[in-house]
Amino acid sequence: MATWKKETGDDQPADLTPDWYDRWTNKAVPEKDKRGTMPGTHSNATSILKPGPF
Amino acid sequence: MKYLLKQAITCMAILPVYLLAAAGKLHAQTKQPNVIIFIADDVSYNDLGCMGHPVVKTPAIDQLAKNGLRFTNAYLTTSSCSPSRVSILTGRYPHNTGAAELHSAIPAGQIAFPKLLKDGGYYTAQAGKWHLGSSGVKPDGVFLNAFDRVGGSHAEGGGPGGEELWVDYIQQRPKDKPFFMWFAAQDAHRGWDSAHKPIKYSERDVKVPANLVDTKTTRNDFVRYYEEVSRFDHYVGKVVDELKTQGVLDNTLIIIMADNGRPFPRNKTRMYDEGIKTPLVIHWPAGLKARNEVSSSLVSVIDIAPTILELAGISGSPTIQGKSFKKLLAAPTAKFRNYVFAEHNWHSFRAYERMVRTDQFVYIENGLPEQSNVGATDIMGGAAGTALKNHYQAGKATPLQSLIFITPSRNMNCTTIQGIKINWSIFMEKRIQVAAATTGQHIGNLEKGNRR
């Protein structure tokens, strides 16, 4: 998995998109509609062609 | 002289045979297959009759499987609608598409393989659920360029499951081109509707999974789900009938699959088999020798794009990370992948999980163990989810039923295929490259029983 993450540019940003709802009540929270940083953004993963282990 | 005459006679006799064979070969090389992908919405791999479900009836798909090939180890790259569809169409992992989260816009530069088919002379069309971009329903975004015709959704009068226009698409297509159709049902996504259910079920028929609570509301929830799976099958059957009528069924490569698992707790969005594994049935009489055969080879849905492109004789894109599994169509038991990988990213709730699976092991990492892992809002707001939540709140839930609510949740989860024993230390040392595992089935966070 480490090889796959490295080769395909996967990562876990500190500011991932937050919960939009309360996990127990399902009601919307103030952070609703806020987007954070998606995995792969820092490594520009959209331009990476390597597939990782096959 | 006698010898030359004999040779001439032999040549004259062979020549027509040779020319016929050459013509046949040429025909085979130039006749590009039509392709239809039927993609169900929120249906687990084992919820079709041909995939072993004891109750759900899917006669049309079962018939396709009987005359084709079904895969028992086909894996999605994520158990979330729009990122899963983008991954399938690009042949790329979700974090490599730039659209890893639900309803996120697809960056320019990502290539949907139907665009390559279109550029290669195919007529391409999409009908039903869009979910390829920031909009759930309304077609938008960069993938519009991949299709000659787009629409037929629930919102546009495409029927309750978005399938009413599928036959019309087959009838209205240009007849002088091979075609590719992306037929995306909205069955069996919540919320349920009562319109046109070809097959009815009873609450008595329901098999309630052990991680849920066996209540009347849970059973009714499953009845509605079963009915929508059967409705998906019904519309697949109508298209097959139309293909037969037009005489094009034999050279139409039909693929049956789903975008993610059933919309119930611990299934959709999650990395267990009922969330991340897809049914996969392939039917193609003209090109597939297999009849009623099963492939247990590991395949990823990012392999579908390169497979179709190769069968169509069209060059793939260097952006595709999957590989063609064409060889499995001729030899279903052949070895293909050693690994499949999958992701769980934001879907209503913050998430970061990763899965790798071999033919023997599944390993899941959870990057956010401080939070519970309840899944999407539509799941927990549904009848089965509500019943489970009430049961847990009342202190009556079993450990298995409690898993999705508990914090901290597991940060690591390693399971085996049922019955296979592993040595944990070897596993940890070599990660998933376990070669000589022998003892100690349940150690550390190993989940008891199986990976579901």
Side-chain angles (χ1 to χ4, degrees):
Chain A
M1 183 177 284
T3 305
W4 175 75
K5 285 183 180 181
K6 185 178 180 183
E7 289 189 358
T8 64
D10 186 31
D11 63 0
Q12 182 181 347
D15 59 337
L16 285 165
T17 298
D19 289 0
W20 285 10
Y21 304 91
D22 180 274
R23 289 184 182 233
W24 185 257
T25 66
N26 258 1
K27 290 180 179 172
V29 297
E31 288 75 24
K32 187 175 183 301
D33 298 330
K34 287 182 182 172
R35 291 277 187 180
T37 302
M38 266 191 271
T41 302
H42 296 310
S43 61
N44 195 23
T46 53
S47 64
I48 290 175
L49 304 179
K50 285 187 177 177
F54 183 80
Chain B
M1 184 67 183
K2 191 177 177 182
Y3 172 77
L4 289 175
L5 185 62
K6 188 177 178 182
Q7 287 292 87
I9 291 170
T10 304
C11 284
M12 288 171 68
I14 291 174
L15 188 60
V17 176
Y18 173 77
L19 289 175
L20 278 173
K25 190 176 179 186
L26 184 65
H27 177 75
Q29 286 175 340
T30 56
K31 184 84 172 171
Q32 294 170 299
N34 306 307
V35 181
I36 302 176
I37 294 181
F38 291 98
I39 184 163
D41 198 0
D42 295 5
V43 174
S44 292
Y45 78 98
N46 51 357
D47 287 341
L48 305 179
C50 61
M51 297 297 287
H53 199 281
V55 177
V56 178
K57 294 179 176 63
T58 51
I61 297 172
D62 295 354
Q63 189 61 33
L64 294 176
K66 191 177 177 183
N67 293 316
L69 174 62
R70 61 196 154 89
F71 290 79
T72 56
N73 282 308
Y75 283 85
L76 300 154
T77 58
T78 185
S79 183
S80 175
C81 181
S82 59
S84 178
R85 290 160 195 257
V86 175
S87 178
I88 295 162
L89 286 172
T90 56
R92 289 172 65 71
Y93 291 109
H95 71 273
N96 292 112
T97 67
E101 298 177 343
L102 183 70
H103 297 169
S104 44
I106 304 164
Q110 296 299 311
I111 301 166
F113 80 85
K115 175 71 165 61
L116 303 175
L117 292 172
K118 184 180 167 185
D119 293 345
Y122 270 70
Y123 173 76
T124 61
Q126 174 275 344
K129 186 168 183 173
W130 180 250
H131 261 224
L132 296 168
S134 55
S135 167
V137 178
K138 187 181 177 184
D140 66 351
V142 297
F143 282 6
L144 284 172
N145 69 2
F147 301 104
D148 293 300
R149 183 179 175 187
V150 167
S153 73
H154 170 68
E156 294 171 329
E163 309 96 336
E164 286 285 356
L165 293 178
W166 289 356
V167 169
D168 178 72
Y169 269 52
I170 298 295
Q171 292 172 338
Q172 300 303 320
R173 67 187 169 83
K175 303 297 191 295
D176 58 343
K177 288 182 169 185
F179 62 82
F180 170 81
M181 304 281 175
W182 174 257
F183 284 162
Q186 292 175 198
D187 288 332
H189 196 289
R190 294 171 186 272
W192 316 129
D193 65 72
S194 56
H196 184 50
K197 299 292 179 61
I199 298 177
K200 301 285 187 185
Y201 296 92
S202 161
E203 290 169 10
R204 291 190 305 276
D205 300 330
V206 171
K207 308 293 181 191
V208 178
N211 67 299
L212 299 178
V213 191
D214 192 348
T215 65
K216 182 175 174 57
T217 55
T218 297
R219 285 179 171 269
N220 182 259
D221 216 14
F222 271 100
V223 164
R224 311 296 296 277
Y225 169 72
Y226 290 177
E227 288 174 348
E228 295 210 354
V229 175
S230 288
R231 185 167 65 187
F232 169 68
D233 174 83
H234 171 77
Y235 283 98
V236 169
K238 290 183 81 165
V239 173
V240 170
D241 288 344
E242 179 60 27
L243 294 170
K244 281 181 194 167
T245 301
Q246 294 188 18
V248 295
L249 178 64
D250 274 10
N251 198 34
T252 299
L253 173 71
I254 294 175
I255 295 177
I256 307 288
M257 62 182 302
D259 62 345
N260 54 250
R262 73 175 79 94
F264 286 79
R266 212 161 176 267
N267 301 153
K268 179 179 175 179
T269 75
R270 300 299 301 277
M271 315 284 268
Y272 303 108
D273 273 9
E274 270 115 345
I276 203 70
K277 199 186 226 184
T278 177
L280 183 61
V281 175
I282 295 184
H283 180 269
W284 183 27
L288 196 64
K289 289 180 182 174
R291 294 289 184 275
N292 199 22
E293 286 196 44
V294 178
S295 174
S296 59
S297 300
L298 272 182
V299 297
S300 169
V301 292
I302 61 172
D303 303 325
I304 290 174
T307 304
I308 290 173
L309 289 168
E310 184 181 4
L311 294 173
I314 292 172
S315 298
S317 162
T319 61
I320 291 175
Q321 294 173 302
K323 290 187 180 178
S324 170
F325 57 79
K326 180 186 173 186
K327 74 172 186 179
L328 294 179
L329 304 187
T333 58
K335 178 81 175 173
F336 185 56
R337 275 184 175 271
N338 293 314
Y339 312 99
V340 291
F341 296 90
E343 312 177 11
H344 175 195
N345 302 306
W346 182 92
H347 183 127
S348 310
F349 304 117
R350 189 172 67 138
Y352 181 88
E353 284 187 290
R354 296 295 182 262
M355 181 203 80
V356 58
R357 191 191 189 285
T358 69
D359 59 356
Q360 292 190 334
F361 304 101
V362 57
Y363 173 70
I364 300 171
E365 278 184 2
N366 178 11
L368 298 164
E370 69 275 17
Q371 61 189 29
S372 66
N373 211 338
V374 291
T377 49
D378 62 330
I379 300 164
M380 296 315 296
T386 301
L388 180 62
K389 198 157 49 176
N390 293 339
H391 198 63
Y392 177 74
Q393 201 165 23
K396 298 177 180 175
T398 66
L400 180 62
Q401 291 166 341
S402 304
L403 273 177
I404 63 168
F405 302 110
I406 290 173
T407 54
S409 53
R410 289 178 169 145
N411 61 359
M412 185 174 59
N413 191 349
C414 166
T415 64
T416 70
I417 293 175
Q418 209 161 16
I420 295 176
K421 295 181 178 180
I422 66 169
N423 182 308
W424 179 253
S425 62
I426 293 174
F427 181 88
M428 289 306 292
E429 184 183 338
K430 296 191 175 184
R431 299 293 175 176
I432 58 166
Q433 296 178 357
V434 180
T438 51
T439 59
Q441 189 170 10
H442 305 302
I443 305 174
N445 279 324
L446 192 63
E447 185 177 351
K448 188 176 180 181
N450 62 47
R451 64 197 183 285
R452 296 174 187 170

